[in-house]
Amino acid sequence: MFIDQAQCLVRSGDGGRGVVAFRREKYVPMGGPSGGDGGRGGDVVLVGDPELATLISFQHRREFRALDGEAGGNSNRRGRDGETLRIPVPLGTVATDRESGQVLAEVLEAGQTLLVARGGQGGRGNARFASSVRQSPRFAERGEPGQQISLALELRVLADVGLLGMPNAGKSTLLAAVSAARPRIAAYPFSTLEPQLAVVRRDSREMVLADIPGLVEGAHEGRGLGNEFLRHLSRCRVLVHVVDAAGSEGRDPVEDFGIIEAELRYKSPELAARPRILAANKADLPAWEGHAPALRDAARDLAGFVGLSAAAGQGTEELVRMLLELLERQPPRLPLPGEQTEDVVVVRGGGRRRSVVREADGVWRLQDPTLERLSLMADLDNAEALDYLLAAVLRSGVDSLLRRVGVAPGDAVRLGEWTFTLGEDGKPAEWEAEPLPGEDG
Ligand SMILES: Nc1nc2c(ncn2[C@@H]2O[C@H](COP(=O)(O)OP(=O)(O)O)[C@@H](O)[C@H]2O)c(=O)[nH]1
Ligand SMILES: [Mg+2]
């Protein structure tokens, strides 16, 4: 087993803005408000994909951004929602929010989705703010910004395919010939053997190949397969037996094949029953022709036979194709669960309660998810929109909380990007946009 790790940045879409519009009717100078709502920004989700074996694809792409919601339109037309961005991950992937260190969840099933960044709400159009006392609202909301989250992904990986064969059969050469990438982190705890791993990617499918050292020199004399080697191999779903089919150094390929097969049956009947393919290597050498028919015959009980040259890269694609097909017919890869699993999906910012804190500069900050969102979506340039926001804060009954924690009249209180001053009556009075850092005022 090795641990594969990756990082990526995901950003959900912003909500579209609501618009200010009024109906135009014949003979009516100004009709009722008809500005539509903005669409929701797209979510970002991780999706369990059983065809993936590793996180290797994240080496090529590290940033993912979902589409924004569309702005609303006239005649109460609602803007289109941003599409959900689906990021395929292998089963068993554990996602962690890097900022908080919180484990978001683990994707364990095919098709299972894990919401990692929620799309922003669409802003409401002016039609939604109409009431008996405010018949022609001239303001609308901005869309809620999307969330940006830096994710750490982690996956425990088992090799799908194990290579075995005599020393110098060409296993290392074969591994290098078929691999698309080498996993960066290869950690085999409690093991003295360091398998070589390679990831093979074809279309959307992946498999992991392992070349496990373990056939000591002298394997030809039957000194053979160590227990640790066999334990590694037993976790592979499919095996490839590589033979030097040119009989280099005066060896007899059929005999080499027979020695290893007999060892396998003797040491582990369970492993001997594992589906495997005989790869008759070194087909570029003339001597190969003479040995191939007998090898093909010796392999008749196996799942397949392929002649190839690992060094020349001939026949290796045929082997890859056979392996992918063979794997497809095996029981599915079972996810290896991570250690710190939580099955609760937590998206940052959700479910927080209302609170008032004193910030480093002595100014109070009111934290309230609903009010913060309203303030974030308020149109900065519109006095009517601010009146609406003020009214919402008053309605929320937050003034008693402010009094309780000791906020005095005249004190400034922050809410989102805004600052208001508490009036003499203990109610929020004046609004002011919080100056951006670096700006004067
Ligand atoms: N001619 C030829 N030589 C090969 C081929 N594959 C591997 N070799 C050579 O065989 C030797 C042993 O290969 P290696 O991959 O290290 O074998 P391993 O011990 O099974 O990992 C090296 O000198 C390779 O260059 C091949 O397809 N054709
Ligand atoms: Mg080798």
Side-chain angles (χ1 to χ4, degrees):
M1 183 197 71
F2 72 104
I3 314 267
D4 198 6
Q5 292 173 323
Q7 289 175 4
C8 66
L9 196 67
V10 300
R11 194 175 188 324
S12 56
D14 298 341
R17 64 185 169 78
V19 302
V20 177
F22 295 92
R23 272 191 294 280
R24 273 171 202 277
E25 286 159 32
K26 259 184 186 169
Y27 314 120
V28 183
M30 191 164 76
S34 64
D37 300 344
R40 247 176 61 82
D43 294 333
V44 181
V45 299
L46 305 182
V47 189
D49 183 344
E51 294 200 331
L52 295 179
T54 67
L55 299 169
I56 223 100
S57 62
F58 290 91
Q59 287 183 13
H60 308 297
R61 188 170 171 200
R62 296 223 172 114
E63 282 189 29
F64 299 85
R65 198 188 191 298
L67 290 176
D68 295 338
E70 197 189 39
N74 297 337
S75 313
N76 290 312
R77 197 180 63 78
R78 190 176 182 282
R80 211 176 312 121
D81 291 342
E83 208 179 309
T84 298
L85 180 63
R86 300 164 66 85
I87 307 174
V89 294
L91 306 185
T93 299
V94 177
T96 305
D97 177 352
R98 291 182 65 212
E99 191 182 298
S100 66
Q102 185 174 35
V103 174
L104 298 178
E106 182 168 15
V107 180
L108 286 170
E109 282 165 38
Q112 183 188 354
T113 60
L114 165 62
L115 178 67
V116 286
R118 198 189 295 280
Q121 289 285 338
R124 287 174 289 178
N126 72 329
R128 303 274 228 105
F129 296 99
S131 67
S132 53
V133 293
R134 198 193 306 109
Q135 293 183 3
S136 307
R138 296 180 157 279
F139 68 96
E141 276 174 329
R142 299 185 295 172
E144 183 189 18
Q147 296 178 307
Q148 177 161 301
I149 296 191
S150 175
L151 286 181
L153 303 176
E154 193 171 290
L155 175 75
R156 298 156 156 249
V157 183
L158 285 183
D160 300 298
V161 180
L163 301 185
L164 86 163
M166 289 290 182
N168 293 324
K171 300 181 292 298
S172 303
T173 311
L174 180 61
L175 202 71
V178 297
S179 73
R182 304 236 160 202
R184 275 173 310 174
I185 294 107
Y188 278 74
F190 319 115
S191 173
T192 52
L193 303 179
E194 283 273 318
Q196 291 295 311
L197 296 159
V199 179
V200 177
R201 239 182 115 91
R202 295 293 180 272
D203 303 322
S204 59
R205 285 193 287 180
E206 281 181 353
M207 61 181 169
V208 178
L209 269 62
D211 174 17
I212 305 145
L215 280 178
V216 289
E217 292 306 322
H220 298 309
E221 290 81 53
R223 275 185 43 214
L225 311 172
N227 285 334
E228 205 179 337
F229 173 85
L230 291 168
R231 200 163 55 242
H232 273 303
L233 214 58
S234 71
R235 294 167 145 180
C236 301
R237 293 186 292 154
V238 164
L239 310 178
V240 175
H241 187 157
V242 185
V243 172
D244 176 346
S248 318
E249 297 161 46
R251 304 224 35 91
D252 177 354
V254 177
E255 199 183 304
D256 278 358
F257 173 75
I259 290 172
I260 301 260
E261 289 289 316
E263 268 273 303
L264 208 58
R265 277 194 299 274
Y266 172 67
K267 290 261 173 72
S268 169
E270 189 221 331
L271 254 183
R274 198 70 45 94
R276 67 187 166 287
I277 291 173
L278 170 55
N281 192 27
K282 312 201 184 180
D284 55 302
L285 299 177
W288 185 88
E289 304 277 352
H291 297 292
L295 270 178
R296 183 187 290 276
D297 192 46
R300 65 189 175 277
D301 292 335
L302 301 189
F305 171 89
V306 60
L308 52 82
S309 168
Q314 287 162 4
T316 51
E317 272 314 296
E318 168 76 358
L319 175 66
V320 166
R321 196 187 52 76
M322 288 167 78
L323 286 172
L324 286 171
E325 261 170 36
L326 196 54
L327 281 170
E328 201 144 81
R329 284 185 270 127
Q330 304 310 307
R333 198 184 276 133
L334 285 178
L336 290 173
E339 267 150 340
Q340 343 149 264
T341 316
E342 277 178 24
D343 43 18
V344 208
V345 176
V346 191
V347 172
R348 208 158 67 205
R352 230 185 326 142
R353 303 251 301 282
R354 176 182 290 179
S355 67
V356 178
V357 295
R358 195 154 207 165
E359 301 206 308
D361 57 3
V363 179
W364 301 97
R365 175 171 287 282
L366 168 60
Q367 295 177 315
D368 177 304
T370 310
L371 294 179
E372 274 168 27
R373 196 167 70 199
L374 274 179
S375 81
L376 211 56
M377 296 170 77
D379 181 353
L380 295 156
D381 307 317
N382 190 307
E384 243 185 277
L386 293 190
D387 287 344
Y388 175 83
L389 181 56
L390 193 56
V393 174
L394 285 174
R395 257 200 324 274
S396 73
V398 74
D399 47 323
S400 65
L401 171 68
L402 293 176
R403 262 199 310 277
R404 242 185 2 259
V405 298
V407 183
D411 283 358
V413 180
R414 291 189 178 120
L415 171 65
E417 321 169 21
W418 294 89
T419 306
F420 60 82
T421 313
L422 207 62
E424 286 305 322
D425 56 357
K427 298 199 183 301
E430 279 164 55
W431 285 103
E432 210 186 294
E434 172 114 9
L436 295 170
E439 252 175 62
D440 285 338

